[in-house]
Amino acid sequence: MNSPLYEYGLFGEGASLIVALVVGFFFGLFLERGGLGNPHKLTGVFYLKDFAVPKAMFTAILVASSGLYLLGDLKLLDMTRIWIVPTFFWPQLVGGALFGLGYLVAGYCPGTAVAGLASGRLDALVAMFGMIAGSLLFAVVYPALEHFYMSSGLGTATLPSVLGVNHWVVIAIVVLMAGMMFYSMERFERKSH
Amino acid sequence: MEKNSFWSPYVSGIGLGLTLLATFYVMGKGLGASSAFSIFSVVATQKIDPEYAGGLKYFSRYLSGGSPLKDWMVFEILGLFVGALTGALLSRSFRLKFDKPSHMTGGGRLFTALSGGILLGFAARLARGCTSGVALTGGAQLAVAGWVFVIAMFVSGFIFAAVFRRMWS
């Protein structure tokens, strides 16, 4: 087992930036081709008009999730060297809710705004300037928010570890939920068109 | 609008999932987006007032090494732009425009894009990432963070869409 490759020192920091460009290229290509650079499609889910976002998002989560845990179980990937997104429950709940409002109002999220600009949308550029200003705003008020920002930390908690079940049980539940969601979205779209 | 020229969202989702999986395998971490904007914010603030930027505690995390722009996420975002541009050009869907809901004025759209963007930038810092870094990456890792964020984001989006019913429809 010698992966994650970067973590095992197969290449250095300079080469990792080339990897970033390549990975980003495919990220952008799939976002744009899935229609996720288009604010009408991006916000369609909130008006039950276009479900491209949840369809692409949960498909991606399922593919990456099953692949990640399969590689880990087969000992082809050292899971202890994977940087797990840390959980801070309340900041992420409040942040997620504020983010949902921002996404609805702007019509983009950060990555899709870049895809939007790349497809010629200048409103996405305005949203990007907003994000830069919003990041500064956070840094300015950070001293007052730091206590909340650091609160309710659960470290690298995952659903399997919190629920005390095998990761495949959680993945099976996600497959089932996504399947039901996709089925109802397809039915709903066929009915309303 | 460029109707039906897009790929199926399921196909796009499989591509995004494989890209994320490859990133886990090669780098040991996932995708992201919002932290690049945080870095752009640091660099812009530094250009205007280096002393003020240096005094902001939250920004100090970006100012320990060399140039903050020599960052993995910044390069990933550059790649994202080129990849999306390639997709738009090859499918002939590239159009220079100020995209907005048909009933909205240009000034109105300027306001929503800017204020929505400010909210996004602020919220992503509070949540330690955005749709890419927390929802997609964390969701795929089955990290609690990812699922808390994704549920909060969709619930809030639905509630505010009911409030602002005419914003995008």
Side-chain angles (χ1 to χ4, degrees), chain A residues 57-119:
Chain A
M57 187 168 182
F58 289 104
T59 304
I61 285 180
L62 280 174
V63 168
S65 180
S66 3
L68 176 69
Y69 281 98
L70 187 66
L71 289 174
D73 284 358
L74 295 175
K75 307 264 177 263
L76 293 169
L77 181 65
D78 184 353
M79 291 296 278
T80 63
R81 301 291 280 270
I82 297 284
W83 184 82
I84 302 283
V85 178
T87 299
F88 289 80
F89 188 87
W90 290 110
Q92 276 158 341
L93 189 86
V94 175
L98 274 178
F99 191 92
L101 174 62
Y103 166 14
L104 175 78
V105 173
Y108 300 102
C109 59
T112 53
V114 178
L117 176 65
S119 59

Side-chain angles (χ1 to χ4, degrees), chain A:
Chain A
M1 183 158 47
N2 57 1
S3 64
L5 305 179
Y6 181 67
E7 289 291 309
Y8 275 82
L10 262 80
F11 54 91
E13 203 198 331
S16 84
L17 297 180
I18 312 280
V19 173
L21 284 173
V22 175
V23 162
F25 179 90
F26 286 102
F27 190 17
L29 182 71
F30 290 123
L31 279 180
E32 195 284 330
R33 285 295 74 216
L36 304 184
N38 177 335
H40 304 275
K41 280 185 89 70
L42 285 163
T43 53
V45 54
F46 299 125
Y47 296 95
L48 306 177
K49 279 198 320 193
D50 188 318
F51 298 98
V53 169
K55 284 180 194 170
M57 187 168 182
F58 289 104
T59 304
I61 285 180
L62 280 174
V63 168
S65 180
S66 3
L68 176 69
Y69 281 98
L70 187 66
L71 289 174
D73 284 358
L74 295 175
K75 307 264 177 263
L76 293 169
L77 181 65
D78 184 353
M79 291 296 278
T80 63
R81 301 291 280 270
I82 297 284
W83 184 82
I84 302 283
V85 178
T87 299
F88 289 80
F89 188 87
W90 290 110
Q92 276 158 341
L93 189 86
V94 175
L98 274 178
F99 191 92
L101 174 62
Y103 166 14
L104 175 78
V105 173
Y108 300 102
C109 59
T112 53
V114 178
L117 176 65
S119 59
R121 292 181 169 85
L122 298 172
D123 54 309
L125 185 64
V126 176
M128 285 161 65
F129 278 115
M131 290 171 211
I132 291 172
S135 305
L136 175 62
L137 179 66
F138 181 80
V140 170
V141 300
Y142 181 72
L145 280 178
E146 189 174 17
H147 181 72
F148 179 64
Y149 178 78
M150 297 305 294
S151 68
S152 53
L154 298 173
T156 57
T158 60
L159 295 177
S161 73
V162 166
L163 301 172
V165 294
N166 184 277
H167 42 261
W168 292 107
V169 174
V170 179
I171 292 176
I173 294 171
V174 177
V175 168
L176 208 70
M177 279 180 359
M180 286 181 343
M181 209 169 66
F182 294 161
Y183 177 77
S184 19
M185 286 169 184
E186 294 300 332
R187 275 194 59 155
F188 191 85
E189 279 180 329
R190 225 170 302 139
K191 246 193 259 173
S192 55
H193 283 299

Side-chain angles (χ1 to χ4, degrees), chain A residues 4-6 16 24-25 30 33 40 47 69 83 85 87 97 104 106 108 120-123 132 146 149 157 159 186, chain B residues 5 7 10 12 25-26 28 41 57 72 79-80 91 97 99 109 120 128 140-142 144-145 156 158 164 168:
Chain A
L5 305 179
Y6 181 67
S16 84
F25 179 90
F30 290 123
R33 285 295 74 216
H40 304 275
Y47 296 95
Y69 281 98
W83 184 82
V85 178
T87 299
L104 175 78
Y108 300 102
R121 292 181 169 85
L122 298 172
D123 54 309
I132 291 172
E146 189 174 17
Y149 178 78
L159 295 177
E186 294 300 332
Chain B
S5 76
W7 294 349
Y10 300 116
S12 150
Y25 186 81
V26 177
S41 185
K57 188 177 180 192
W72 200 87
L80 197 167
S91 63
K97 63 179 159 194
D99 208 346
R109 178 61 183 135
L120 287 171
R128 291 172 167 78
Q141 294 172 339
L142 307 178
V144 174
S156 158
F158 277 115
F164 304 124
W168 285 97

Side-chain angles (χ1 to χ4, degrees), chain B:
Chain B
M1 238 161 71
E2 53 274 51
K3 251 191 177 156
N4 291 332
S5 76
F6 294 125
W7 294 349
S8 150
Y10 300 116
V11 174
S12 150
I14 291 171
L16 290 169
L18 292 174
T19 305
L20 177 56
L21 181 59
T23 312
F24 285 145
Y25 186 81
V26 177
M27 292 302 303
K29 64 177 177 186
L31 299 167
S34 66
S35 65
F37 289 97
S38 191
I39 290 173
F40 295 150
S41 185
V42 173
V43 173
T45 312
Q46 261 186 327
K47 280 260 185 295
I48 297 164
D49 191 341
E51 230 171 283
Y52 184 69
L56 289 171
K57 188 177 180 192
Y58 184 78
F59 278 171
S60 64
R61 65 189 63 204
Y62 305 114
L63 297 170
S64 48
S67 166
L69 288 173
K70 208 186 147 199
D71 175 89
W72 200 87
M73 286 303 174
V74 171
F75 277 71
E76 189 229 78
I77 283 294
L78 285 178
L80 197 167
F81 181 83
V82 177
L85 182 65
T86 306
L89 290 176
L90 289 182
S91 63
R92 296 171 184 279
S93 62
F94 184 93
R95 302 270 184 290
L96 212 55
K97 63 179 159 194
F98 199 68
D99 208 346
K100 60 182 186 63
S102 49
H103 62 80
M104 203 181 267
T105 61
R109 178 61 183 135
L110 193 68
F111 175 76
T112 60
L114 190 66
S115 57
I118 292 173
L119 265 169
L120 287 171
F122 184 90
R125 295 298 24 97
L126 181 59
R128 291 172 167 78
C130 61
T131 340
S132 317
V134 179
L136 202 57
T137 300
Q141 294 172 339
L142 307 178
V144 174
W147 293 88
V148 168
F149 182 89
V150 95
I151 291 168
M153 177 183 92
F154 276 114
V155 168
S156 158
F158 277 115
I159 291 173
F160 283 108
V163 177
F164 304 124
R165 210 169 303 161
R166 303 235 329 121
M167 187 168 271
W168 285 97
S169 62

